[in-house]
Amino acid sequence: MCVCVCIYVYLTVMSTKPPVLFLQSLRTTSTAALRTRAVEGQKILSRAKRGWVWNQMFVLEEFTGPDPILVGRLHTDLSVSDRNLRYELSGEGAGTIFVINENTGDIHAMKRLDREEKAEYTLTARVINKDTNQSLESPSQFIIKVQDINDNPPQFIGGPFRGSVPEMSPVGTSVMRVTATDADDPGYGNSAKLVYSILEGQPYFSIDQYDAIIKVALAGMDREMREEYLVVIQARDMGGHMGGMSGTTTVTVTLTDINDNPPKFTKGLYEFTIPEDLGIGKPGGKVKANDRDTGENAKSTYRIIGGDERDIFEIVTDTQTQEGVLTLKKALDFESKKYYNLTVVATNVQSSTTGSTFMDQATIKIIVEDADEPPVFSKSTYVFDVHENAPVNTIIGTVMARDQDASRSLVRYSIDRHTDLERQFNIHVDDGRITLAKPLDREADTWHNITVTATEIRNHSQISRAIVAVRVLDINDNAPEFPVNEELFLCENGKPGQVIETISAVDRDNPAQGHTFHYRLDTPTNPNFTIKNNLDNSISILTKHDYFRRQKQEMYFLPIIVTDDGDPPLSSTNTLTIRVCGCSKDGTVQSCNVEAFVLPIGLSMGALIAILACIILLLVIVVLFVTLRRHKNEPLIIKDDEDVRENIIRYDDEGGGEEDTEAFDIATLQNPDGINGFLPRKDIKPDLQFMPRQGHHSGPNGVDVDEFINVRLHEADNDPTAPPYDSIQIYGYEGRGSIAGSLSSLETASSDSDQNYDYLRDWGPHFRRLGELYSVGESDKET
């Protein structure tokens, strides 16, 4: 069966060209498309096997027109009436973008087609019998391809751009590459073929029209003259031909610095006036060499190359300000030199582009300004000698200070009394002569260090100081003597000629030729001892006999005269104490006391101490035993025949406080007539004071306890200062109606010795315990 398809394609091209050019292009494109479709139709008819859709690919240019555009027409050559045929379309965009006329098979594009959004659509066509709703042909698939048109201009992504290139770069040096993108199809026509050019930035820079590389176009560009350049780059599509679209961007090109400029001092001669009292390390002036370069290329160092022969000055670089700071290494002296001329150079830290070193030179003139300085002593330390015991006002020495300034101010001298607290020295305020104010003693202090001050008369704030060391020279003013008045020991069983001790005298003086001592006994005919000169300033004490006994004489005194060889010679008498002691056979001293001699032989001091300790321990044990025995025999109730007072022992007492827990003294009840006046309470401090009451007079017998207690109770109840309890309640008085009667012994004529308390047990359980106590007390007393 042979199927014929007639396809009519209408193409529309949207462009920004002028209308005349647009019509020409449209006319040309449409004619070429129709010719292409005719050739393709002839080829399809010559195929042996073909579907009812002859062309499997439809090409449609993207458009933006408001009216529907005919894409093509589907047709079948089946022997069926056209009225019974219905065409259907399905697939991508069917029914929305592409609509088919079910009767004629015409396919229209209803919406704008954009190749950049979707380049092709796949659709399926069917032909159906309207009566039977059956497919007359098998479905046939075809593709509608959206053909690109130049509807997107070039764009620079990420602009504007910044680039840099070193200054003084040669022509052709690459700066950077700037490329644009075009959304059109690069494989169809020239819509995406870009060409670059510079709209602004010439003649300094150029750009490769195809590679988009920006290059230096002008030699000798100096950063110090101009640092930044603004370059405008344009990109055109369609290979740069007319009718294409374009886009632009800006590129800021910065010239980076190179070290092509030397440092330069702002002036060739600097003048500074520096006071001579400027401290070491303090700045005296600043110089600066400017450099047109930046960063590391502008950093310079400074140094002195001439005029500082005495190495007084130093110049250092301030890293923050790049200045050269002139400082002092040594103190200035206006009186010795008033002017200085220094030669200073500034040198770049970085080498230049040619490899040479950039530097500049300047001269610094320094004028030393005179400053008011303190006086200067001829010496920093003075050493003077003076003999001890020299008379007051003796001149020790003279110090001298003078003002070095041009004014030559006079000075006055004084002694810093903090260094001479005892005021042993004086100084003349005008000529600096130091004299003695008190005699000196070399044996007390050999050296005296004082501080002398010199003050300008014209300016009292200018003060200088010097140390004066006074050495006290020795004279023979101390007699020799033995070191200590020590005690010597002599063994009573010694032999004649025995050496008791070797001793040497000492002298507080210190003669230059050394000491020589002469010894002799105060009594040359001493019957017990003699001395021997050892020829080394020491002597030995020897015995003359061997019958020294402690019982006869325990201690001997030996006076010895010692004389030195000073001028004049001095002597002293020193008495040695010699004690006779008992010694062992080898000469070891054992005992030197006479009492120890009469002790039993063989009984040592340690044994005596042990015996005495045992005796003391036995005495302590006996005393403790007797004391405990006496405490055990004492009765529970103490009775005294002479003291008629008794203590009432209370039971089950519910008193109100500390006053109720103390036993009441019955002596208060013995003589109510003797109570006269108001007794203050001890447990509280009364707020109100009452007039003392008159004493209560008792009856004929002199003691009425019942009435006395009632009176006290009445007074306590009416006392506003009394606490809410009454200490009188502790008496426990039962009244006159008690069958036991009074327990007190005040009214009985019997004594404690013949009184029997056994009847208390018969009064009941309340008195049984009291009866047992008294009964026990009586039995203990009998035993």
Side-chain angles (χ1 to χ4, degrees):
M1 182 173 58
C2 181
V3 179
C4 296
V5 178
C6 295
I7 301 174
Y8 302 93
V9 179
Y10 298 89
L11 303 178
T12 302
V13 178
M14 300 302 297
S15 176
T16 59
K17 300 177 186 178
V20 176
L21 297 178
F22 173 74
L23 293 176
Q24 292 177 356
S25 176
L26 176 61
R27 198 179 303 112
T28 303
T29 303
S30 300
T31 304
L34 292 176
R35 291 176 181 175
T36 302
R37 298 296 180 264
V39 173
E40 290 179 352
Q42 291 178 1
K43 292 180 180 179
I44 292 174
L45 292 175
S46 65
R47 294 177 184 173
K49 294 181 180 179
R50 54 187 178 273
W52 67 277
V53 177
W54 292 356
N55 190 9
Q56 303 299 322
M57 175 73 71
F58 297 106
V59 179
L60 179 64
E61 289 184 346
E62 56 183 336
F63 74 100
T64 56
D67 299 329
I69 185 172
L70 179 62
V71 178
R73 177 177 295 170
L74 303 179
H75 186 68
T76 181
D77 56 354
L78 294 175
S79 58
V80 182
S81 174
D82 292 339
R83 293 175 298 177
N84 294 332
L85 295 178
R86 185 176 75 246
Y87 296 93
E88 290 184 354
L89 188 65
S90 63
E92 296 176 340
T96 56
I97 299 177
F98 302 103
V99 178
I100 190 171
N101 189 319
E102 63 179 8
N103 296 321
T104 63
D106 295 338
I107 301 174
H108 289 81
M110 307 301 294
K111 294 184 178 181
R112 178 185 181 277
L113 298 178
D114 189 356
R115 187 200 65 84
E116 286 72 37
E117 293 182 1
K118 190 171 181 62
E120 61 182 28
Y121 297 87
T122 302
L123 300 172
T124 302
R126 297 175 61 193
V127 57
I128 300 173
N129 191 327
K130 291 182 179 180
D131 297 334
T132 62
N133 203 26
Q134 295 293 326
S135 296
L136 299 179
E137 296 286 349
S138 59
S140 183
Q141 191 177 63
F142 62 95
I143 296 175
I144 299 177
K145 184 178 181 182
V146 182
Q147 183 173 297
D148 183 49
I149 64 173
N150 189 19
D151 60 344
N152 290 283
Q155 292 183 350
F156 290 90
I157 307 301
F161 302 94
R162 296 190 68 89
S164 62
V165 65
E167 61 176 332
M168 300 297 176
S169 296
V171 176
T173 303
S174 297
V175 179
M176 63 182 302
R177 183 176 184 179
V178 180
T179 59
T181 59
D182 196 319
D184 293 328
D185 188 2
Y188 179 77
N190 295 326
S191 299
K193 186 177 182 181
L194 304 180
V195 175
Y196 299 91
S197 62
I198 291 182
L199 299 182
E200 184 179 342
Q202 295 175 338
Y204 307 105
F205 300 96
S206 63
I207 188 169
D208 190 288
Q209 63 176 348
Y210 298 111
D211 295 337
I213 298 176
I214 303 174
K215 300 178 180 179
V216 175
L218 182 64
M221 288 192 295
D222 190 359
R223 185 201 65 84
E224 287 71 35
M225 298 298 295
R226 182 177 177 182
E227 185 174 5
E228 286 188 352
Y229 295 84
L230 185 65
V231 181
V232 179
I233 306 297
Q234 182 188 60
R236 294 182 62 86
D237 60 11
M238 298 298 293
H241 298 303
M242 295 183 61
M245 306 179 74
S246 65
T248 60
T249 188
T250 58
V251 179
T252 302
V253 180
T254 303
L255 298 182
T256 58
D257 184 58
I258 63 173
N259 191 18
D260 59 342
N261 292 280
K264 188 69 176 176
F265 282 103
T266 57
K267 50 187 177 180
L269 176 63
Y270 295 86
E271 290 188 3
F272 300 121
T273 300
I274 301 177
E276 65 172 328
D277 58 351
L278 183 68
I280 303 298
K282 296 298 182 63
K286 294 181 180 180
V287 298
K288 185 174 183 181
N290 296 321
D291 195 324
R292 297 178 63 191
D293 298 324
T294 59
E296 294 294 326
N297 297 324
K299 291 184 178 180
S300 301
T301 58
Y302 301 85
R303 57 193 178 94
I304 300 173
I305 62 173
D308 191 20
E309 63 278 358
R310 292 193 294 175
D311 197 23
I312 296 177
F313 300 95
E314 182 182 15
I315 189 167
V316 295
T317 303
D318 189 334
T319 57
Q320 300 296 326
T321 63
Q322 288 299 307
E323 293 177 318
V325 181
L326 188 67
T327 60
L328 287 183
K329 294 176 62 178
K330 296 179 181 179
L332 297 175
D333 187 8
F334 173 81
E335 287 71 27
S336 61
K337 191 169 184 179
K338 300 178 176 60
Y339 303 99
Y340 293 89
N341 290 311
L342 307 179
T343 303
V344 179
V345 294
T347 307
N348 272 157
V349 176
Q350 299 290 338
S351 299
S352 66
T353 55
T354 61
S356 61
T357 302
F358 284 153
M359 65 175 59
D360 193 22
Q361 180 175 308
T363 302
I364 300 177
K365 183 178 181 180
I366 298 174
I367 302 174
V368 181
E369 184 181 35
D370 187 22
D372 191 5
E373 298 176 297
V376 178
F377 279 95
S378 59
K379 297 180 181 179
S380 60
T381 302
Y382 295 86
V383 179
F384 299 130
D385 295 333
V386 61
H387 285 89
E388 61 177 332
N389 295 332
V392 176
N393 295 327
T394 298
I395 298 176
I396 299 175
T398 302
V399 297
M400 184 179 65
R402 61 189 299 268
D403 185 13
Q404 301 290 338
D405 299 324
S407 60
R408 293 289 189 265
S409 173
L410 297 178
V411 297
R412 290 186 179 275
Y413 302 93
S414 63
I415 295 177
D416 186 354
R417 291 305 177 181
H418 292 91
T419 61
D420 185 24
L421 297 177
E422 297 181 0
R423 295 182 175 270
Q424 294 177 311
F425 304 94
N426 289 327
I427 190 171
H428 196 281
V429 294
D430 294 325
D431 57 17
R433 289 181 300 167
I434 300 176
T435 58
L436 278 180
K438 294 181 181 179
L440 301 178
D441 185 3
R442 189 202 65 84
E443 287 70 39
D445 292 299
T446 304
W447 287 91
H448 296 270
N449 294 320
I450 61 176
T451 300
V452 176
T453 62
T455 306
E456 288 186 7
I457 296 177
R458 185 173 55 86
N459 186 358
H460 292 173
S461 63
Q462 298 299 330
I463 302 174
S464 59
R465 292 173 172 81
I467 303 299
V468 176
V470 179
R471 178 170 52 193
V472 183
L473 302 179
D474 183 46
I475 63 173
N476 191 27
D477 60 343
N478 291 278
E481 58 185 3
F482 290 139
V484 292
N485 189 15
E486 59 181 280
E487 190 176 55
L488 307 181
F489 299 98
L490 171 65
C491 295
E492 59 182 352
N493 55 354
K495 298 178 181 180
Q498 178 182 357
V499 177
I500 300 175
E501 186 71 35
T502 299
I503 192 169
S504 177
V506 295
D507 196 331
R508 297 178 63 189
D509 297 325
N510 187 22
Q513 67 276 12
H515 291 288
T516 301
F517 300 129
H518 307 280
Y519 302 89
R520 61 185 176 87
L521 294 177
D522 187 31
T523 56
T525 59
N526 190 298
N528 299 312
F529 305 98
T530 185
I531 60 175
K532 176 186 176 183
N533 194 339
N534 297 324
L535 302 179
D536 57 356
N537 283 337
S538 67
I539 59 173
S540 298
I541 312 299
L542 292 80
T543 59
K544 284 187 174 182
H545 55 80
D546 59 352
Y547 48 84
F548 293 97
R549 296 294 182 270
R550 281 179 289 175
Q551 296 87 345
K552 181 179 178 182
Q553 185 173 350
E554 179 185 4
M555 193 173 299
Y556 294 88
F557 298 98
L558 180 63
I560 298 177
I561 300 174
V562 184
T563 305
D564 60 16
D565 58 348
D567 185 19
L570 299 177
S571 63
S572 65
T573 300
N574 300 267
T575 301
L576 299 178
T577 302
I578 302 175
R579 184 181 294 275
V580 180
C581 302
C583 303
S584 61
K585 294 181 179 181
D586 57 357
T588 303
V589 176
Q590 291 183 338
S591 177
C592 296
N593 296 326
V594 178
E595 292 79 4
F597 182 77
V598 301
L599 292 176
I601 300 176
L603 190 60
S604 64
M605 183 63 66
L608 292 176
I609 294 175
I611 293 173
L612 181 61
C614 293
I615 294 174
I616 294 174
L617 180 61
L618 290 176
L619 290 176
V620 171
I621 294 174
V622 171
V623 171
L624 290 175
F625 179 80
V626 172
T627 302
L628 293 175
R629 183 67 179 174
R630 291 184 60 186
H631 281 289
K632 183 177 180 182
N633 294 332
E634 288 179 0
L636 296 178
I637 299 176
I638 301 176
K639 297 181 180 181
D640 192 352
D641 295 337
E642 297 177 0
D643 190 0
V644 296
R645 293 178 295 177
E646 292 184 13
N647 289 333
I648 300 176
I649 300 176
R650 306 181 302 276
Y651 297 93
D652 300 328
D653 185 16
E654 297 183 6
E658 294 178 358
E659 289 292 335
D660 293 346
T661 60
E662 299 179 357
F664 186 80
D665 193 354
I666 196 65
T668 306
L669 303 179
Q670 291 180 359
N671 188 13
D673 297 335
I675 303 300
N676 188 12
F678 176 71
L679 295 178
R681 297 287 300 273
K682 296 181 179 181
D683 54 344
I684 64 172
K685 182 179 180 181
D687 295 330
L688 301 175
Q689 300 293 336
F690 293 90
M691 294 298 294
R693 63 178 183 272
Q694 296 297 327
H696 178 73
H697 299 281
S698 61
N701 55 2
V703 175
D704 190 347
V705 177
D706 186 14
E707 184 178 358
F708 173 76
I709 292 176
N710 289 332
V711 172
R712 285 288 190 264
L713 180 61
H714 177 73
E715 291 176 354
D717 292 337
N718 293 279
D719 186 4
T721 63
Y725 58 87
D726 199 334
S727 59
I728 301 179
Q729 297 176 0
I730 65 175
Y731 298 157
Y733 183 72
E734 292 184 354
R736 297 180 179 179
S738 175
I739 59 174
S742 175
L743 299 180
S744 176
S745 61
L746 297 176
E747 297 178 356
T748 177
S750 63
S751 64
D752 295 339
S753 59
D754 58 357
Q755 188 173 358
N756 189 5
Y757 299 94
D758 292 337
Y759 64 92
L760 296 175
R761 302 178 180 179
D762 299 332
W763 289 1
H766 295 290
F767 298 90
R768 184 174 303 166
R769 178 58 180 165
L770 187 60
E772 292 175 358
L773 292 175
Y774 275 79
S775 298
V776 173
E778 291 295 323
S779 62
D780 291 343
K781 185 176 181 180
E782 292 175 1
T783 59

